[in-house]
Amino acid sequence: LLGYDDVAKQKEAFVQAENLLASLQYDLSMGKGSEEDLAKAIVVFKAEVQNFYNLIEEVRYTDVKYADSLRSFVDGRILSYQGDLAATLPTSSAYPVKEAVNGLVVQTETDPVKALELKVSQVEQAISDVEAVKDVVDQSTLNEVTNNYVEEVKTVMEEINTLKVTDPNLAEKLKVDLIEDFSVIDSVNDPYELKVIDGKVLPPQL
């Protein structure tokens, strides 16, 4: 059985990974450190978050209330980190951290439909980020930035199509939102488009 020492060790590992990531993020913004070190720290942080979530589920077998409090702790730290990164744009060295934390924020939502809504919201925010930098970067950089969102849009569109089975009205709303937002990227970087065939929205085609 898990004891409080096990929880304390995991909490310490989580906090250390979070602090290391924040430290490397700051160093890179000051012209120190390396993108490679930051990328490694992102992987470690994501792993420690998953480790903590796994431990919480083990705790839940014996103490639901304590498990809920641990879940609130982890979720709260992730959401706070997301808030700190809200104004970060693709031109920043910290943008990969923002993308990673956004992915973790989706994990804080246990309802699959709400998690999908979060993903759509994040794609909308990412497109706004592209809009914010399109006039200050060259075309090759802009292409690279928009390429990063294509796979995510594909994934979200596939999930929306699956959602049609259980909630067609919500699926239609999310689909329309995503198509409207993706048209912004389409106007910035031309080769991507959404296609509708036999009433089914297909992912962007490369």
Side-chain angles (χ1 to χ4, degrees):
L1 292 177
L2 289 172
Y4 286 104
D5 286 346
D6 298 306
V7 174
K9 287 178 182 177
Q10 182 55 61
K11 182 179 286 189
E12 182 180 2
F14 167 77
V15 171
Q16 285 179 347
E18 181 185 24
N19 289 341
L20 175 62
L21 183 56
S23 176
L24 289 172
Q25 174 189 325
Y26 175 78
D27 286 348
L28 204 55
S29 72
M30 300 300 291
K32 300 181 290 184
S34 70
E35 293 181 0
E36 182 180 359
D37 287 340
L38 185 68
K40 290 178 181 177
I42 289 172
V43 171
V44 170
F45 180 60
K46 290 169 69 174
E48 290 304 337
V49 170
Q50 190 58 58
N51 289 341
F52 213 151
Y53 280 146
N54 291 343
L55 180 141
I56 288 169
E57 292 312 303
E58 290 187 53
V59 170
R60 192 174 300 282
Y61 286 118
T62 56
D63 193 333
V64 173
K65 187 175 181 179
Y66 186 40
D68 286 344
S69 71
L70 291 173
R71 179 85 193 202
S72 294
F73 168 77
V74 179
D75 290 354
R77 295 291 284 251
I78 292 171
L79 291 168
S80 177
Y81 205 168
Q82 183 191 42
D84 292 341
L85 294 163
T88 304
L89 294 174
T91 48
S92 168
S93 58
Y95 201 72
V97 182
K98 178 178 180 176
E99 293 178 309
V101 171
N102 281 346
L104 293 172
V105 167
V106 173
Q107 288 185 244
T108 69
E109 181 52 70
T110 56
D111 184 312
V113 173
K114 290 181 179 179
L116 178 56
E117 290 178 306
L118 265 179
K119 288 182 181 180
V120 172
S121 176
Q122 288 179 2
V123 170
E124 292 172 346
Q125 180 58 54
I127 292 170
S128 295
D129 291 347
V130 172
E131 278 282 277
V133 302
K134 71 176 184 178
D135 295 326
V136 297
V137 297
D138 59 38
Q139 188 62 43
S140 63
T141 302
L142 192 59
N143 290 348
E144 182 179 349
V145 169
T146 54
N147 284 345
N148 292 338
Y149 305 128
V150 174
E151 289 303 319
E152 181 62 23
V153 171
K154 286 182 179 180
T155 300
V156 171
M157 290 302 295
E158 287 166 1
E159 292 185 32
I160 288 173
N161 283 328
T162 300
L163 178 64
K164 286 182 182 179
V165 176
T166 55
D167 195 335
N169 291 333
L170 177 58
E172 181 65 21
K173 177 185 180 301
L174 294 177
K175 178 190 73 176
V176 170
D177 288 347
L178 199 57
I179 290 173
E180 288 176 351
D181 290 319
F182 199 83
S183 67
V184 174
I185 279 187
D186 188 53
S187 68
V188 173
N189 192 29
D190 209 20
Y192 312 115
E193 60 179 327
L194 291 171
K195 294 182 178 179
V196 180
I197 299 177
D198 295 331
K200 180 177 180 181
V201 179
L202 301 180
Q205 303 297 306
L206 295 181

